[in-house]
Coordinates of all heavy atoms in Angstrom, one line a residue:
D164 N 0.5 -11.4 9.7 CA 1.5 -10.4 9.9 C 1.6 -9.4 8.7 O 2.2 -8.4 8.8 CB 2.8 -11.0 10.2 CG 2.8 -11.7 11.6 OD1 2.0 -11.4 12.4 OD2 3.6 -12.6 11.7
A165 N 1.1 -9.8 7.6 CA 1.2 -9.0 6.4 C 0.3 -7.8 6.5 O -0.9 -7.9 6.9 CB 0.8 -9.8 5.1
P166 N 0.7 -6.6 6.1 CA -0.2 -5.4 6.2 C -1.2 -5.5 5.2 O -1.0 -5.9 4.0 CB 0.8 -4.2 5.9 CG 1.9 -4.8 5.2 CD 2.1 -6.2 5.7
R167 N -2.4 -5.1 5.6 CA -3.6 -5.1 4.6 C -3.7 -3.7 4.0 O -3.4 -2.7 4.5 CB -4.9 -5.3 5.4 CG -4.9 -6.8 5.9 CD -6.1 -7.0 6.8 NE -7.3 -6.4 6.3 CZ -8.4 -6.2 7.0 NH1 -8.4 -6.5 8.2 NH2 -9.5 -5.7 6.4
A168 N -4.0 -3.8 2.7 CA -4.2 -2.5 1.9 C -5.4 -1.8 2.4 O -6.4 -2.4 2.9 CB -4.3 -2.8 0.5
E169 N -5.4 -0.5 2.4 CA -6.5 0.3 2.8 C -7.7 0.1 2.0 O -7.7 0.1 0.8 CB -6.1 1.8 2.7 CG -7.2 2.7 3.3 CD -6.7 4.2 3.2 OE1 -5.5 4.4 3.3 OE2 -7.6 5.0 3.1
G170 N -8.8 -0.3 2.6 CA -10.0 -0.6 1.9 C -10.0 -1.9 1.2 O -10.8 -2.1 0.3
G171 N -9.2 -2.8 1.6 CA -9.0 -4.1 0.9 C -10.2 -5.0 1.1 O -10.3 -5.9 0.3
D172 N -11.0 -4.9 2.1 CA -12.1 -5.9 2.3 C -13.2 -5.7 1.3 O -13.6 -6.5 0.5 CB -12.6 -5.8 3.7 CG -11.6 -6.4 4.7 OD1 -10.8 -7.2 4.3 OD2 -11.7 -6.1 5.9
R173 N -13.9 -4.5 1.4 CA -15.1 -4.3 0.7 C -14.8 -3.6 -0.6 O -15.5 -3.8 -1.6 CB -16.0 -3.5 1.6 CG -17.3 -3.2 0.8 CD -18.3 -2.6 1.8 NE -19.5 -2.3 1.0 CZ -20.5 -1.5 1.5 NH1 -20.3 -0.9 2.6 NH2 -21.5 -1.3 0.7
Y174 N -13.9 -2.6 -0.7 CA -13.8 -1.7 -1.8 C -12.7 -2.0 -2.7 O -12.6 -1.5 -3.8 CB -13.6 -0.3 -1.3 CG -14.9 0.2 -0.6 CD1 -14.9 0.4 0.8 CD2 -16.1 0.3 -1.2 CE1 -16.0 0.8 1.4 CE2 -17.2 0.8 -0.6 CZ -17.1 1.0 0.8 OH -18.3 1.4 1.4
G175 N -11.7 -2.8 -2.5 CA -10.7 -3.1 -3.4 C -9.4 -2.2 -3.1 O -9.4 -1.4 -2.1
L176 N -8.4 -2.4 -3.8 CA -7.1 -1.8 -3.6 C -7.1 -0.4 -4.2 O -7.6 -0.2 -5.3 CB -6.0 -2.7 -4.1 CG -5.9 -4.1 -3.5 CD1 -4.9 -4.9 -4.2 CD2 -5.6 -4.0 -2.0
E177 N -6.4 0.5 -3.5 CA -6.2 1.8 -4.0 C -4.8 1.9 -4.6 O -3.8 1.2 -4.1 CB -6.3 2.8 -2.9 CG -7.7 3.1 -2.4 CD -7.7 4.2 -1.4 OE1 -6.7 4.9 -1.2 OE2 -8.8 4.4 -0.9
R178 N -4.7 2.7 -5.6 CA -3.4 3.0 -6.2 C -3.4 4.4 -6.7 O -4.4 5.1 -6.8 CB -3.1 2.0 -7.4 CG -4.0 2.1 -8.5 CD -3.7 1.1 -9.6 NE -4.6 1.3 -10.8 CZ -5.8 0.9 -10.9 NH1 -6.4 0.2 -9.9 NH2 -6.5 1.1 -12.0
T179 N -2.2 5.0 -7.0 CA -2.1 6.3 -7.5 C -1.6 6.3 -8.9 O -0.8 5.4 -9.3 CB -1.2 7.2 -6.7 OG1 0.1 6.6 -6.6 CG2 -1.8 7.4 -5.3
E180 N -2.2 7.1 -9.8 CA -1.8 7.2 -11.2 C -1.6 8.7 -11.5 O -2.4 9.6 -10.9 CB -2.8 6.6 -12.1 CG -3.0 5.1 -11.9 CD -3.9 4.5 -12.9 OE1 -4.2 5.2 -13.9 OE2 -4.4 3.4 -12.7
E181 N -0.8 9.0 -12.4 CA -0.6 10.4 -12.9 C -1.4 10.6 -14.2 O -1.4 9.7 -15.1 CB 0.8 10.7 -13.2 CG 1.1 12.2 -13.4 CD 2.5 12.5 -13.5 OE1 3.3 11.8 -12.9 OE2 2.8 13.5 -14.2
W182 N -2.2 11.7 -14.2 CA -3.0 12.0 -15.3 C -3.2 13.5 -15.4 O -3.5 14.1 -14.4 CB -4.4 11.3 -15.3 CG -5.3 11.6 -16.5 CD1 -4.9 11.5 -17.8 CD2 -6.6 11.9 -16.4 NE1 -6.0 11.8 -18.5 CE2 -7.1 12.0 -17.8 CE3 -7.5 12.1 -15.4 CZ2 -8.4 12.4 -18.1 CZ3 -8.9 12.5 -15.7 CH2 -9.3 12.6 -17.0
Q183 N -2.9 14.1 -16.5 CA -3.0 15.5 -16.8 C -2.1 16.3 -15.8 O -2.5 17.3 -15.3 CB -4.4 16.0 -16.7 CG -5.3 15.4 -17.8 CD -6.7 15.9 -17.7 OE1 -7.2 16.4 -16.7 NE2 -7.4 15.7 -18.8
G184 N -0.9 15.8 -15.5 CA 0.0 16.5 -14.6 C -0.5 16.4 -13.1 O 0.0 17.2 -12.3
E185 N -1.4 15.6 -12.7 CA -1.9 15.5 -11.4 C -1.9 14.1 -10.9 O -2.1 13.2 -11.7 CB -3.3 16.1 -11.4 CG -3.8 16.4 -10.0 CD -5.2 17.2 -10.1 OE1 -5.6 17.4 -11.2 OE2 -5.7 17.5 -9.1
E186 N -1.7 13.9 -9.6 CA -1.8 12.5 -9.0 C -3.2 12.2 -8.7 O -3.9 13.0 -8.1 CB -1.0 12.4 -7.7 CG 0.5 12.5 -8.0 CD 1.1 11.2 -8.6 OE1 0.6 10.2 -8.3 OE2 2.0 11.4 -9.4
W187 N -3.7 11.0 -9.2 CA -5.1 10.6 -8.9 C -5.1 9.3 -8.1 O -4.2 8.4 -8.3 CB -5.8 10.3 -10.3 CG -6.1 11.6 -11.0 CD1 -5.2 12.4 -11.7 CD2 -7.3 12.2 -11.1 NE1 -5.8 13.4 -12.2 CE2 -7.2 13.4 -11.9 CE3 -8.6 11.9 -10.7 CZ2 -8.2 14.2 -12.3 CZ3 -9.7 12.7 -11.0 CH2 -9.5 13.9 -11.8
V188 N -6.0 9.2 -7.2 CA -6.2 8.0 -6.4 C -7.2 7.2 -7.1 O -8.3 7.7 -7.5 CB -6.6 8.3 -5.0 CG1 -6.8 7.0 -4.2 CG2 -5.6 9.1 -4.3
V189 N -6.9 5.9 -7.4 CA -7.9 5.1 -8.2 C -8.2 3.9 -7.3 O -7.3 3.2 -6.8 CB -7.3 4.7 -9.5 CG1 -8.2 3.7 -10.3 CG2 -6.9 5.9 -10.3
R190 N -9.5 3.6 -7.1 CA -9.9 2.4 -6.3 C -10.9 1.6 -7.2 O -11.8 2.1 -7.8 CB -10.6 2.9 -5.1 CG -11.1 1.8 -4.2 CD -12.0 2.3 -3.0 NE -11.2 3.0 -2.1 CZ -11.7 3.9 -1.2 NH1 -13.0 4.1 -1.1 NH2 -10.9 4.5 -0.4

Side-chain angles (χ1 to χ4, degrees):
D164 291 337
R167 292 174 43 198
E169 184 178 332
D172 286 339
R173 182 174 176 197
Y174 295 112
L176 300 175
E177 286 185 6
R178 63 184 186 275
T179 57
E180 295 185 17
E181 187 173 334
W182 181 46
Q183 296 179 342
E185 194 172 0
E186 291 288 323
W187 289 75
V188 179
V189 179
R190 179 187 292 163

